[in-house]
Amino acid sequence: MKVLIVGNGGREHALAWKFSQSKRITGLYCVPGNAGTADLGQNMDHLSLNDIDGIVNAAKVLEIDLVFVGPEAALADGLCDKLSKVGIRAVGPDARCAQLESSKTFSKDFLNRNRIPTAIAKTFKPGQLAQLQDFLNQNPNKPWVVKKSGLAAGKGVLESDNTEELLSFAKEHMADDEVLIEEYLRGYEVSIFTISDGISYKVLPAAADYKKAGEGNTGPNTGGMGAICPVPWLTKASLDLISKEVIAPTFDALTKDNLMYKGILYFGIMVCADGPKVLEFNVRFGDPEAQVLIPLIETDFCDLFGAVADGQLDKLSLKISQKSALAVVVAAPGYPGDYPKHLPVKLDFINHETDRFVFHASTLNEGKNLLTNGGRCFTLVGLGTDHLRAAESAYSLENKLEFEGAWTRPDIGSNVYSQKF
């Protein structure tokens, strides 16, 4: 099977690594890929992620059997729709289903219409800044969540009880988009990923990521400084309740609305005192959650996602490791603020072990030199019989990797048995 992976982050390196292990793989390509994926297959870095027609044409020329689309923007732009029109199988939802992530207004309407538990929200359109200000002034000193409706690369959400801060954030995004004002939910977050073939679905082990930059969950929000899987404090009773009140009703509603969802569907869940509520949907694997989930999936990826593309998922057994996985992000100096790129990297490790992995997130090759190319540059992943041993494996990789100003959050996984976060 010839496979083309679309994307260039840690998620895509993890996907490429897993596909490369398949007994059925005959060709592996990445658009545009990174320095890590270049070691596993052929990077097509002459194509950009927004060159939808170029990606489709490349898949035709290479006679690709399966395309796995990693990033949300390509899905929202209809890459899977265009691949389907030329007869190429793809893993990922069509543009209509992708609105579950690309439009928070669409997503919230879907949740409310189908009575799936979620935060109460009010939508304001461009030109309604005065009405939004009146709403906030009528509810002073109360915490709210402001969300840009469209895609914002993880920078479209603000939680605050400061009216001026909320108004300023909303004003910034209302120039060309709707914004939602949501109630601030109290509880703890968990990430649930599901795989669907448009007919049936399977639920993957729960994961959780560490969004704050600083030790002890302090500092600014980031795209994620680490992740764990499974989640020790999520009881079977809580997971059963999430399945009953959120996951099953969502897939029933997708069928009812004729949204034949095919691919990965992520549920961002806040577990509250009165039950689970949906914070958001993602229409793809998250990052860094993908890096802890993918190594735990023992099923051959060509078999698994071939079944997804063909609507045969219910006939395939999904095998999951009983180990725990933990990921630690290695970031560039200054991240999540301004940071330098193209820092020389010394890496003394290849992914040949069974319990330790280094996934490239933002890297490139310049001749024989490995360079950083972003804010979150690598993900160190460890597996173990429990999270403490997984943490030992992940952090043991720090001395295998070196570049100027590299830093990690030192406490990923340290509180998994004592604190919800």
Side-chain angles (χ1 to χ4, degrees):
M1 179 184 288
K2 287 185 178 181
V3 175
L4 172 64
I5 297 171
V6 178
N8 60 352
R11 165 184 54 213
E12 286 76 30
H13 187 195
L15 284 165
W17 166 77
K18 194 68 174 182
F19 270 109
S20 73
Q21 296 182 320
S22 172
K23 296 178 181 179
R24 297 175 57 197
I25 198 78
T26 57
L28 183 59
Y29 304 85
C30 295
V31 174
N34 59 34
T37 61
D39 293 332
L40 300 168
Q42 180 179 333
N43 280 355
M44 305 183 71
D45 50 15
H46 62 287
L47 293 171
S48 65
L49 288 173
N50 58 9
D51 185 2
I52 302 300
D53 291 335
I55 294 171
V56 173
N57 185 62
K60 289 169 60 180
V61 171
L62 292 169
E63 298 181 333
I64 295 296
D65 299 298
L66 183 72
V67 177
F68 195 112
V69 185
E72 63 273 23
L75 294 166
D77 288 343
L79 176 54
C80 290
D81 305 66
K82 291 196 172 185
L83 287 167
S84 177
K85 286 181 180 179
V86 298
I88 296 175
R89 299 184 302 168
V91 177
D94 60 24
R96 184 170 173 236
C97 289
Q99 290 179 96
L100 289 169
E101 179 171 1
S102 66
S103 171
K104 289 183 174 61
T105 303
F106 177 93
S107 173
K108 185 66 69 172
D109 187 52
F110 170 86
L111 289 164
N112 289 332
R113 185 174 66 254
N114 291 291
R115 299 183 179 180
I116 298 165
T118 185
I120 297 171
K122 187 174 179 63
T123 301
F124 295 89
K125 301 179 182 295
Q128 293 185 321
L129 185 63
Q131 291 93 320
L132 185 148
Q133 185 171 8
D134 288 343
F135 176 84
L136 291 175
N137 288 335
Q138 292 168 14
N139 298 275
N141 303 317
K142 181 178 180 180
W144 293 99
V145 182
V146 181
K147 295 182 177 181
K148 172 182 167 64
S149 180
L151 297 176
K155 299 179 180 179
V157 178
L158 174 68
E159 301 173 355
S160 178
D161 60 1
N162 184 302
T163 299
E164 291 303 316
E165 185 179 24
L166 291 165
L167 185 62
S168 175
F169 184 85
K171 183 178 180 180
E172 176 186 352
H173 294 290
M174 286 181 73
D176 60 355
D177 199 358
E178 298 175 322
V179 299
L180 283 74
I181 306 291
E182 284 191 354
E183 65 173 323
Y184 180 85
L185 298 177
R186 301 187 185 278
Y188 63 91
E189 290 186 47
V190 64
S191 301
I192 306 289
F193 290 87
T194 59
I195 304 175
S196 173
D197 65 356
I199 304 168
S200 62
Y201 67 92
K202 294 183 184 294
V203 182
L204 295 173
D209 71 336
Y210 290 67
K211 291 185 172 63
K212 296 290 187 178
E215 185 174 358
N217 299 319
T218 59
N221 278 329
T222 72
M225 293 305 300
I228 59 169
C229 182
V231 180
W233 61 83
L234 186 67
T235 65
K236 183 180 184 302
S238 292
L239 187 56
D240 288 345
L241 190 63
I242 291 170
S243 296
K244 177 183 177 182
E245 296 190 356
V246 174
I247 298 176
T250 295
F251 280 104
D252 287 344
L254 288 170
T255 300
K256 177 176 68 69
D257 289 357
N258 199 31
L259 294 168
M260 305 308 291
Y261 194 97
K262 184 176 291 188
I264 307 296
L265 182 60
Y266 155 92
F267 297 76
I269 303 290
M270 182 69 80
V271 181
C272 306
D274 58 347
K277 296 184 180 181
V278 177
L279 293 172
E280 64 175 348
F281 292 115
N282 286 170
V283 295
R284 34 75 191 187
F285 273 127
D287 188 336
E289 296 102 321
Q291 288 93 296
V292 289
L293 274 168
I294 289 170
L296 295 180
I297 302 174
E298 297 180 342
T299 306
D300 183 296
F301 260 36
C302 284
D303 290 342
L304 175 58
F305 290 107
V308 168
D310 293 338
Q312 301 290 316
L313 185 60
D314 62 333
K315 298 180 180 178
L316 190 77
S317 175
L318 184 61
K319 298 178 181 178
I320 304 294
S321 170
Q322 295 303 303
K323 292 183 178 180
S324 298
L326 183 141
V328 179
V329 168
V330 183
Y335 178 82
D338 294 335
Y339 50 82
K341 291 185 178 182
H342 302 166
L343 299 172
V345 180
K346 181 180 178 181
L347 177 60
D348 183 26
F349 188 83
I350 58 174
N351 291 332
H352 62 277
E353 299 183 13
T354 58
D355 63 350
R356 297 194 304 172
F357 313 98
V358 176
F359 293 121
H360 293 237
S362 296
T363 61
L364 59 84
N365 286 318
E366 189 174 88
K368 294 183 178 180
N369 298 317
L370 174 61
L371 306 177
T372 67
N373 197 37
R376 293 185 298 162
C377 303
F378 295 90
T379 310
L380 313 178
V381 178
L383 306 186
T385 53
D386 57 41
H387 285 91
L388 297 180
R389 289 175 175 80
E392 290 175 0
S393 292
Y395 278 106
S396 72
L397 290 167
E398 281 189 289
N399 62 9
K400 303 289 186 180
L401 174 65
E402 182 181 345
F403 62 88
E404 184 179 355
W407 65 278
T408 62
R409 194 174 139 175
D411 62 336
I412 305 299
S414 64
N415 61 351
V416 294
Y417 298 108
S418 61
Q419 181 181 345
K420 299 167 184 176
F421 62 98

